[in-house]
Each structure stands twice: as structure tokens, then as C-alpha cells.
Amino acid sequence: ECSSNLWVAGDAAAFLDPQLGRRRVEHHDHAVVSGRLAGENMTGAAKSNTHQSMFWSDLGPEVGYEAIGIVDSKLPTVGVFAKATETDTPKAAVTKSNEADRSISEQMAETKVVETAAGKVEEGGDEYGKGVIFYLKENKIVGVLLWNVFNRMNIARRVLKEGRSYDDLTEVAKLFNIHAPDRKSTRLNSSHA
């Protein structure tokens, strides 16, 4: 409710995000969830907007990403990458869930967190086809981009909600299961604006 008996949702809605401050989000997931929330609140539900909307894109059958929060190239970033397998593609993610809409497949996913050892750090190589990129503001994670890592938004939402600083982002990346138990190599990239 933006004013007494006046409701707004979707791209037109600016709102106070409890973790990230005032925002305006122009993505499908936000339009669906904020529209539903506005409708419920019009009938007296009095619910708060606490959903952290995600967005995604497939850049062909072999490459895709899912992202959440403030994903801005001006922010410092830290990326943790691992070797990809045949199942680390948008096509495999949609086929596994039997849903054409990735927003639906993300909601249906049951994510299991398995922590594995990150192993040694290797430089170079094109074989690192999946990873997690963390966007930082004042040393806190404010955005997460999952590159060829699918249906892990519940973990990314939890990381953003915690709103804390981490000494070692490779440890946080383990939450996203980018390292299969038989994979031990990672590459750590970092850039600062």
C-alpha cells in the first residue's frame, strides 16, 4: 500500500527492502510476487513485503544464470568457480524439473546442502564452467549471481538476509554445492570497482 487504499505492484513499485534499502525491481519474479501480495493486502491480509526477488536468463542451451539482490558491475565482486558437468546447463535444469518456466522450477527445487573441501586453487583454464559471484558493499554480500548453478535461490536469499561480512567467501560458496564430491579444483576471481 503506497497510500491509503492505493496499491502498487511490479515494475512501478518502489519499496523498502529490509536487507538492501529502497529499491525498484523490474523482473518477472518481483511482478508475480508483489502483485499477489498487493491483492492479498487489498483484502485485509496486512502482510509485509519480505520476498527477495530473483531474475534469470538462459544464454543458450549450455549457459545460464540466476541472480538475486544488487548485481551491479560497479561493486566489488568475488567469484568462486568449479568445473562444470553435463548437468550444469539451463537445459538440464528445466528438463529435471519438467517445467518450462525457470521461476517455477526454482520454487519447486528441494536444495540439499553438502559441504565439501574446496581443494587447491588453480589459475587459468576454460574448464571452469560454473560458479558463484558475490557482489559486495561495505564488505557485506548484497548480491549473488549463480553461473550455471541452478535452483539454489533459497540459499542465496538466506545469505542476503544474514547481511554479514565473511572472511572467506569460498566457505560461503560451498553452501551452493558447486563442488561435486569428486571435484577438488576451484578458481577464485576477485575484482574491485
Side-chain angles (χ1 to χ4, degrees):
E1 186 172 25
C2 61
S3 181
S4 182
N5 294 318
L6 180 62
W7 306 88
V8 65
D11 294 359
F15 61 97
L16 183 59
D17 183 314
Q19 282 80 39
L20 304 173
R22 180 149 295 290
R23 298 187 66 206
R24 192 172 147 262
V25 178
E26 298 180 17
H27 300 296
H28 177 265
D29 182 48
H30 174 69
V32 170
V33 173
S34 66
R36 186 178 304 123
L37 179 66
E40 290 175 359
N41 284 342
M42 282 183 215
T43 64
K47 292 182 178 179
S48 297
N49 182 17
T50 59
H51 180 72
Q52 194 62 254
S53 292
M54 59 91 71
F55 61 98
W56 60 271
S57 184
D58 293 339
L59 308 172
E62 304 298 320
V63 177
Y65 67 85
E66 297 179 354
I68 191 166
I70 301 172
V71 177
D72 184 340
S73 63
K74 296 175 192 157
L75 295 174
T77 62
V78 174
V80 181
F81 291 86
K83 292 183 181 182
T85 67
E86 292 176 7
T87 62
D88 299 319
T89 66
K91 183 178 178 181
V94 171
T95 301
K96 181 179 178 182
S97 71
N98 202 23
E99 290 291 338
D101 188 333
R102 285 262 298 285
S103 292
I104 293 170
S105 70
E106 182 263 329
Q107 291 172 359
M108 294 173 55
E110 287 186 34
T111 304
K112 296 178 182 174
V113 177
V114 178
E115 293 192 24
T116 60
K120 65 179 183 175
V121 174
E122 291 184 4
E123 296 296 328
D126 293 331
E127 66 275 8
Y128 295 94
K130 65 179 176 178
V132 181
I133 302 164
F134 299 104
Y135 291 78
L136 308 170
K137 190 173 188 179
E138 298 174 4
N139 209 30
K140 293 181 182 178
I141 298 173
V142 295
V144 178
L145 186 138
L146 304 173
W147 186 262
N148 277 348
V149 176
F150 304 101
N151 299 320
R152 303 287 195 284
M153 278 298 114
N154 56 339
I155 297 167
R157 283 184 179 101
R158 189 174 71 219
V159 168
L160 288 181
K161 187 175 183 176
E162 289 176 359
R164 57 179 275 226
S165 300
Y166 295 91
D167 293 329
D168 185 357
L169 290 172
T170 58
E171 292 298 314
V172 181
K174 289 179 187 179
L175 297 173
F176 295 91
N177 298 331
I178 64 169
H179 306 288
D182 61 335
R183 308 253 185 239
K184 294 185 179 177
S185 300
T186 63
R187 182 175 67 185
L188 177 64
N189 285 336
S190 156
S191 71
H192 299 281

